[in-house]
Amino acid sequence: MRRPFASVLALAAAAAAIPLASPVPAAADGVVIGGYPVEISQSPWTVALSSRDRFGGTRVGQFCGGVLVGPSTVLTAAHCLSADVLGAPPQKVRDLRVIAGRGDLLSNDGKEIAVRDTWVNPDYDSHTNAGDFGVLTLATPLPESSVIRMAPSGDPAYGQGTAAVVYGWGDTTGAGDYARSLRAADVKVLPDANCEQAYPGSADGTYEAASMLCAGQLEGGRDSCQGDSGGPLVAQGRLIGLVSWGSGCGWAGSPGVYTRVSDVIRTLAAKR
Ligand code: 4AZ
């Protein structure tokens, strides 16, 4: 997760070296893994982060996802804005853009919007991955109708077993096959105990229920993956998570870990 694109090889190597969790059959057909195509009009709050300078133009520079939570406010993962990923502090990436209303990255649909300000959670811990979020402020606002509501603390959407959907342009196989068009995968909110057991403290991170959310399928198969980071996990029409990390993609026993949006709300409120 810390290196959305660069770590594809590392990921493949890890998959080969650590056969604890069984990789999903190659037929898994991605988000995202085990997903399906969706129209951007069905999830207008899903945006792509792009820098052609840093990531090349073949996929218009898409490197992470984001979520429109206010007309000028995009949430994404802190690790998407790290120098590790960008090769420079975000303020130095002059062509950092938010692409909205464009499902097919190679189309001319929607808008590319400049970023006026970036804020990375100073409490983000790149070892545990706790607090993995940041805020982008857009130079020009998008319509209120494209905004999704963040689920507040105590919202039943966070309840275990809740059906949720994750969206992104990320790797669809775990082998570096990045999607050209937006995809989604149906997952479930899993008990914290599942991720506490899967991630008691490892090279990938440590699951912390207060600031993270566990989702996927215990049997594997449907999951977010590299390139989906920062994008939305939605339940009951509200935003509950941001794609953050996990071991591999779609592996049985290694669910996806998401930034818990109620903790984002709490942190942003305290900052004011
Ligand atoms: C990543 O590398 C990443 N399976 C994102 C999500 C997940 C794993 C890795 C969850 O950006």
Side-chain angles (χ1 to χ4, degrees):
M1 58 119 301
R2 279 161 231 129
R3 292 149 249 97
F5 275 72
S7 64
V8 173
L9 287 178
L11 202 83
I18 312 165
L20 289 174
S22 49
V24 164
D29 155 43
V31 157
V32 193
I33 309 283
Y36 50 87
V38 286
E39 296 292 326
I40 191 72
S41 57
Q42 293 175 255
S43 63
W45 18 265
T46 304
V47 298
L49 305 195
S50 134
S51 167
R52 291 170 176 84
D53 266 7
R54 300 285 160 178
F55 301 96
T58 48
R59 292 174 69 262
V60 295
Q62 188 272 339
F63 65 96
C64 267
V67 198
L68 195 71
V69 297
S72 302
T73 308
V74 169
L75 287 184
T76 187
H79 82 262
C80 288
L81 303 175
S82 68
D84 227 11
V85 166
L86 292 175
Q91 296 81 2
K92 290 266 162 80
V93 181
R94 303 299 295 273
D95 76 335
L96 182 62
R97 298 263 188 286
V98 164
I99 305 182
R102 184 179 301 167
D104 177 353
L105 294 175
L106 302 188
S107 75
N108 269 323
D109 298 345
K111 285 188 182 141
E112 298 195 12
I113 303 159
V115 173
R116 197 183 72 204
D117 189 38
T118 59
W119 180 86
V120 180
N121 179 17
D123 295 329
Y124 165 57
D125 181 332
S126 63
H127 297 286
T128 61
N129 299 316
D132 191 11
F133 71 95
V135 180
L136 303 178
T137 306
L138 303 178
T140 51
L142 285 161
E144 185 72 50
S145 57
S146 297
V147 168
I148 189 168
R149 195 159 84 82
M150 297 187 277
S153 166
D155 191 310
Y158 292 103
Q160 71 178 62
T162 303
V165 187
V166 57
Y167 298 82
W169 289 269
D171 190 348
T172 62
T173 61
D177 300 306
Y178 296 96
R180 166 177 167 173
S181 291
L182 183 63
R183 302 180 70 85
D186 296 333
V187 294
K188 276 197 161 66
V189 176
L190 296 174
D192 290 320
N194 287 165
C195 278
E196 282 161 355
Q197 192 178 10
Y199 307 114
S202 69
D204 290 318
T206 303
Y207 188 77
E208 215 177 76
S211 63
M212 301 178 191
L213 185 70
C214 188
Q217 279 188 309
L218 259 196
E219 66 275 28
R222 296 186 195 151
D223 199 4
S224 47
C225 199
Q226 293 192 342
D228 294 322
S229 286
L233 177 70
V234 174
Q236 300 177 357
R238 297 178 295 282
L239 181 69
I240 59 169
L242 304 174
V243 177
S244 180
W245 64 284
S247 291
C249 303
W251 295 357
S254 298
V257 184
Y258 295 79
T259 309
R260 190 180 284 272
V261 165
S262 57
D263 190 59
V264 173
I265 298 173
R266 192 186 54 74
T267 307
L268 291 180
K271 153 171 129 73
R272 299 233 168 82

